[in-house]
Amino acid sequence: MNSNLRIAIIGQSNFAADVLELILERSRFQVVGVFTIPDKGSREDVLATTAANHNIPVFKFASWRRKGIALPEVLEQYKSVKAELNVLPFCSQFIPMEVIDGASLGSICYHPSILPRHRGASAISWTLIEGDEVAGFSIFWADDGLDTGPLLLQRQTNLEPTDTLDTIYKRFLYPEGVKAMGLAVDMVANGTAPKIVQTEVGATYDPAMFKAENQRLCLDQSAKRIWNFVRGLDSVPGAIATVVLDDGTEEQVRFFGAHLYSAGPVKNGKPLKLVGLAKPAWVHEGGLLIEGTDGAFVNVRRIKRGTKMINASDWFKQAEHQPITDFSEDELAKKAQLSSIWQAILKAPIEGATDFFAAGAGSMDVVRLVEEVKDAFDVPLENEHVFMAPVFDEFFDLLIRTLREGSGGAGGKQVEYQGFQLKANKRDIRVPTQLFINGEFVDAEEQRVLDIINPSDEQLLCKVACASPNDVDKAVQAAHKAFFGSWKQVSARQRGQLMLKLADLMEQHKEDLATIESVDSGAVYTLALKTHIGMSIDAWRYFAGWCDKIQGNTIPVNPARPNNVLTFTRKEPIGVCGLVTPWNYPLMMLSWKMAACIAAGNTCLIKPAQTCPLTALKFAELTVLAGFPAGVINVLPGKGSDAGQAVADHHLVRKLGFTGSTPIGKHIMKSCADSNLKKCSLELGGKSPLVIFADCDLDKAVKHGMSSVFFNKGENCIAAGRLFVEDRIHDEFVRRVLKDLRSMTIGDPLNRSTAHGPQNHKAHMDKLVEYCQQGVAEGAKLVYGGCRVPNMKGYFFTPTVFTDVEDDMYIAKEESFGPIMIISKFNGSDVDSVMARANRSEYGLASGVFTKDISKALSFADRIEAGTVFVNVYNKTDVAAPFGGFKQSGFGKDLGQEALNEYLKTKCVTIEY
């Protein structure tokens, strides 16, 4: 055993530096010299830097020999260190035999193939090009041949179909090679290192792939051989192919990211002619599809044109964005920080036009750049991004876009759109009127439009694009692409930051949003500001907090003796979600559903109510300002019968969230089942009972009883559809209600003193008139209202009160969805009967009780069949509290933690070990 082995390290690169570090951990070895390449400009090889940090003598030779003869001055310097063993982890230079044999114990070399196969400088590439089933490395004793010396040790691993030159190096050849070099030195020191003569059976000598003529891809072969050639040169230097352009000229390109393709015919492909390929290749959304001579296909994901890497699918596209020019001070500070990282790697001054690779960077520099940028800026980055943006200014642009998209950083771009100028409420607001698909406002197919009527004056407000089924398909495809593309690159925490940025923007524009909501839907401005918009903002902030707290569980299960079993669950997003929302709270219903949907990691498209889609479109504009990637959120105004139906029927939509009437909900549920059995959640009609006992606080009961019916002009999902008032206080309760109604201000919803605005649209107002007429016809006592407000332009309906309503009457059973109070008496001695009457409805959305008796209140909460129970209060909803009904009021929850489950799927993973 040699206890103080003197070692010379000869080579270069991070691999050699790591071998040096490993050897230095063995205190019984002495590294007496490191021999490496000269500096490139001001860039020193990392091996030299590492050696200098450990005070090891460093020698830098441009060459070891001239005309095959060792240079005397070089040989003298080598001999001066008196090495007993030469270790060559990675060396690109020719080392003379006087050096190889100059150490008493000889020289050991690392070679990245299973010798004698793939001798030569490009062994890893040829392992892949030849389609070998295994890859590996050899450590051998150097002799005067080309990788022919006796073997010391070998290691191998199976090649995976996903492996490229890069991946096999990173996952096996590099880390295991470093460890094996350390082991080999130990074996030499211990006198146990074998010298196994290489056989010439199966030996191959492969051409060097650093020569351009050897990098040309032959397309006249099978798809598998094309695939193996491309991945054998991925990511450096890339397989060369030649494209014939439309004008007949030729362009040389390089292919990266290939895989065998078996997904069937492509949609909307465009032909691309390649020299040497009999049939045209096809550019499609997944890349460039090439047919081999065997009829099979290989798909290429990325193409390098000059120094610029692009997605193959973007070959025919114009540049999708203009360079960013509006950098914030914080972003400019990041530019200086990024420049420092580049300078540290390239060892040269950095300018905007500095090309990372032209400045001498290699593949390991790419890895270092990616890792340092990820650490410095907390961005999702891959090696391919460096190749796609190799110039400093391009890379900085990419970094800032990623930060803006991933964390809601300063100022996303504004998009152009067609719209109209809303001048109302002392404001001048530009409002989009086009569909919002894939991050852009676009016209509907065939320029279809909807008339949007102002319910306050019955005048045409504007015309809005009306989505067709084809428009829906475009939005779904965009959402699907984003879900499996850009959205997956955004981490959970970054997703939450994006949502918070959006909420901040909604807060900044809340007066505009409330004005639009008031004019478009008839909501009273003060209510719109506080509830419609305020609770929308709250929803986005609440669910933003959940983004990085969605997690599964570990589950104890019976082990499979003698082995153990680990079982855990993962909570995963569903995919593309369709949302269909009603007209009573346009922005709030959007936010209740979409915030949970986005927090869970899904992408979505929403069809807002056709009568009032304007806040949804203004919201779409804010998502761009917040930096959401294109395709994540899509907004499509349209009719339920075609656009809404298309969402329910689409096979790529995996979840549908709907709020609306029970009959439409049933139809949607059937469509979800018939299409692709998509998951659905339904918040449907209600006939919520409110029971008021004589022992209540009557002032409070009247106040909340009024609110339970007339809040938001009765267009309220959880409105108390029927009041049961104990007979002892019935008349006084009605008297106080009528007194308050007579003083209620009805009129312009933008007027701050208005308490009751217009109904949303004419068809609904007409139904309310019919509803009241039927109540009168069946014998209910109409004590107030029951008709349009006389002598007033707009869809204004008088708040209405019916008493003496019997259980079998139409108005006792069916929802009005308007400002109509339905009152029935009950006797306080028969609580069981009033509970039975309250539960007799097929609906079960909400309920309420007023009493000072806590036992009575808890008994009511226990027995009532409703998803929400209010005790001595009403309409008290909160974004943290789950909301949803029972029976024909639907199923599934909005709001609260439970809402997340509507947009997640649970995957169970079991591992035996």
Side-chain angles (χ1 to χ4, degrees), residues 240-542:
I240 295 175
T242 303
V243 177
V244 181
L245 303 176
D246 290 342
D247 61 2
T249 59
E250 297 181 352
E251 179 182 350
Q252 182 174 292
V253 298
R254 293 183 182 270
F255 289 163
F256 301 88
H259 64 95
L260 292 176
Y261 181 89
S262 58
V266 299
K267 283 186 177 182
N268 305 318
K270 291 185 179 181
L272 185 68
K273 187 174 180 181
L274 300 177
V275 173
L277 186 65
K279 297 179 181 180
W282 291 91
V283 176
H284 65 112
E285 67 175 11
L288 177 67
L289 205 59
I290 299 170
E291 184 176 355
T293 54
D294 55 352
F297 291 88
V298 60
N299 191 57
V300 174
R301 292 193 183 96
R302 298 182 300 281
I303 299 176
K304 191 173 185 180
R305 304 181 74 171
T307 61
K308 179 77 171 178
M309 187 84 76
I310 64 169
N311 290 318
S313 59
D314 293 339
W315 179 269
F316 291 109
K317 294 182 180 179
Q318 298 291 328
E320 292 190 352
H321 59 255
Q322 296 296 319
I324 298 174
T325 57
D326 58 333
F327 297 109
S328 68
E329 290 185 8
D330 179 63
E331 288 169 344
L332 291 174
K334 287 181 170 62
K335 186 173 188 178
Q337 187 178 358
L338 179 66
S339 178
S340 298
I341 293 173
W342 276 52
Q343 186 167 348
I345 296 173
L346 298 178
K347 306 294 189 207
I350 304 300
E351 298 177 352
T354 299
D355 185 299
F356 193 68
F357 299 106
S363 58
M364 289 311 299
D365 295 313
V366 172
V367 176
R368 178 182 169 186
L369 175 61
V370 168
E371 294 306 314
E372 288 197 22
V373 170
K374 284 163 69 174
D375 287 344
F377 304 108
D378 188 26
V379 290
L381 204 65
E382 302 295 338
N383 290 5
E384 66 189 58
H385 291 120
V386 183
F387 293 98
M388 288 182 170
V391 176
F392 179 79
D393 278 350
E394 293 176 352
F395 190 84
F396 177 61
D397 185 277
L398 172 69
L399 172 65
I400 295 304
R401 288 182 190 279
T402 306
L403 285 168
R404 288 181 178 184
E405 290 183 356
S407 62
K413 68 171 184 178
Q414 296 194 40
V415 292
E416 296 295 324
Y417 58 77
Q418 296 175 14
F420 78 106
Q421 213 72 24
L422 175 61
K423 296 182 178 180
N425 202 25
K426 298 180 180 179
R427 309 186 78 82
D428 194 346
I429 309 166
R430 182 141 177 85
V431 184
T433 55
Q434 295 173 287
L435 310 180
F436 183 70
I437 299 175
N438 200 30
E440 297 179 329
F441 285 98
V442 296
D443 289 334
E445 184 180 44
E446 299 179 353
Q447 308 290 312
R448 301 192 334 163
V449 293
L450 294 166
D451 288 344
I452 304 300
I453 305 299
N454 184 339
S456 296
D457 60 13
E458 305 179 45
Q459 298 299 305
L460 179 68
L461 186 61
C462 65
K463 291 181 180 290
V464 166
C466 178
S468 69
N470 285 338
D471 292 320
V472 170
D473 180 64
K474 291 175 185 176
V476 173
Q477 297 293 343
H480 182 74
K481 183 178 180 181
F483 180 75
F484 290 101
S486 59
W487 198 226
K488 279 199 177 295
Q489 300 301 315
V490 178
S491 70
R493 192 157 299 165
Q494 290 169 329
R495 193 163 67 239
Q497 291 169 343
L498 260 180
M499 293 174 68
L500 289 172
K501 174 64 174 177
L502 177 59
D504 289 345
L505 286 167
M506 292 169 72
E507 181 91 51
Q508 292 170 27
H509 292 82
K510 64 183 178 181
E511 288 85 3
D512 286 352
L513 292 168
T515 300
I516 298 169
E517 190 102 327
S518 185
V519 172
D520 196 23
S521 73
V524 171
Y525 176 76
T526 51
L527 177 65
L529 192 62
K530 178 179 183 295
T531 301
H532 290 232
I533 310 307
M535 199 171 185
S536 298
I537 296 168
D538 289 346
W540 285 98
R541 286 180 174 152
Y542 171 79

Side-chain angles (χ1 to χ4, degrees), residues 876-888:
K876 179 59 179 173
T877 54
D878 188 273
V879 293
F883 181 95
F886 300 160
K887 300 188 287 189
Q888 290 198 48

Side-chain angles (χ1 to χ4, degrees), residues 66 90 154 161-162 168 201 325 438 457 489 535 579 654 676 698 738 789 827:
R66 185 178 295 118
F90 172 77
Q154 292 181 315
T162 53
I168 189 62
V201 177
T325 57
N438 200 30
D457 60 13
Q489 300 301 315
M535 199 171 185
L579 309 175
R654 293 297 174 183
N676 59 347
L698 189 56
L738 296 179
V789 176
N827 188 278

Side-chain angles (χ1 to χ4, degrees), residues 803-814:
T803 61
D804 300 338
V805 179
E806 302 297 332
D807 292 356
D808 60 349
M809 293 180 179
Y810 175 83
I811 63 174
K813 296 181 291 184
E814 296 300 326

